[in-house]
Amino acid sequence: GQQLNQSPQSMFIQEGEDVSMNCTSSSIFNTWLWYKQDPGEGPVLLIALYKAGELTSNGRLTAQFGITRKDSFLNISASIPSDVGIYFCAGQASMNYGGSQGNLIFGKGTKLSVKP
Amino acid sequence: EAGVAQSPRYKIIEKRQSVAFWCNPISGHATLYWYQQILGQGPKLLIQFQNNGVVDDSQLPKDRFSAERLKGVDSTLKIQPAKLEDSAVYLCASSQGQGAFTEKLFFGSGTQLSVL
């Protein structure tokens, strides 16, 4: 089945540093979403991408939909302690792939730890 | 605006026992999803409802799991009998429209299930 490879698995950085993480797939996606999950809570949507090459920002967060439609990137600038959490990418398969329209495929997450 | 409500927050049962989870989606949201999140993994879709009809239950272990969404609002997910490998967080999510690829999902805080 479809799988997303998310990297790195974990990051431990200093406050103020920039962060980069990415997600790759063996198949084409027509939607890429980035979520953040705090302990004991459900994922919260950060950024949604719907077109190849699209670059979207949300405050200090910037995400890009790869041109090949098989990858996506998330950058966090000037990290702060509240950025701590697990970041998930999620992809929605191409309509022609045959998957359910509602079936988002999630990566395994990138755990971000920030040292003050 | 109230978010997705789930209960209970935590549940501990012994294997072979039964358990049920409840979800109340955001008011007016037509589509409801149940996800299973095993520790260290991303959420995995179990079942998707549009109003009170099932859209996708291809990954639901139907020999032990069942779900219903009567009247197209609240939903319950049941496991009977539970196995050790069912230990996970069960997340409910809802989206406004028809579950199309442009939909944004809003997650509840989840129910953490421990099967002993």
Side-chain angles (χ1 to χ4, degrees), chain B residues 24-40:
Chain B
N24 181 241
I26 293 173
S27 178
H29 278 198
T31 307
L32 184 148
Y33 314 77
W34 283 102
Y35 281 81
Q36 180 193 58
Q37 186 176 21
I38 292 172
L39 186 65

Side-chain angles (χ1 to χ4, degrees), chain A residues 31 37 40-42 95 100 102, chain B residues 9 37 48 56 101-102 108-109:
Chain A
T31 301
Q37 187 173 29
E41 299 296 328
M95 295 287 195
S100 165
Chain B
R9 284 283 279 159
Q37 186 176 21
Q48 176 187 347
D56 183 358
F101 73 94
T102 54
S109 297

Side-chain angles (χ1 to χ4, degrees), chain B residues 91-103:
Chain B
L91 294 163
C92 179
S94 69
S95 63
Q96 188 170 13
Q98 307 304 309
F101 73 94
T102 54
E103 288 290 283

Side-chain angles (χ1 to χ4, degrees), chain A residues 60-83:
Chain A
R60 294 178 295 106
L61 277 62
T62 301
Q64 185 164 23
F65 193 139
I67 292 175
T68 65
R69 298 169 65 192
K70 292 184 178 182
D71 56 9
S72 181
F73 307 87
L74 176 69
N75 295 315
I76 305 172
S77 62
S79 57
I80 58 178
S82 61
D83 291 334

Side-chain angles (χ1 to χ4, degrees), chain A residues 30-31 33 35 37 39-45 47-48 50 86 88 92-93 95 99-109, chain B residues 9-10 33 35 37 40-45 48 55-56 58-59 89 91 98-110:
Chain A
N30 59 19
T31 301
L33 305 173
Y35 285 86
Q37 187 173 29
E41 299 296 328
V44 174
L45 182 65
I47 293 179
Y50 301 114
I86 302 177
F88 290 98
Q92 165 69 56
M95 295 287 195
S100 165
Q101 286 187 329
N103 190 356
L104 290 178
I105 309 297
F106 281 81
K108 292 186 177 182
Chain B
R9 284 283 279 159
Y10 305 93
Y33 314 77
Y35 281 81
Q37 186 176 21
Q41 305 285 323
K44 184 187 82 171
L45 181 70
Q48 176 187 347
V55 174
D56 183 358
S58 58
Q59 298 189 85
V89 174
L91 294 163
Q98 307 304 309
F101 73 94
T102 54
E103 288 290 283
K104 295 180 181 179
L105 272 63
F106 295 87
F107 285 85
S109 297

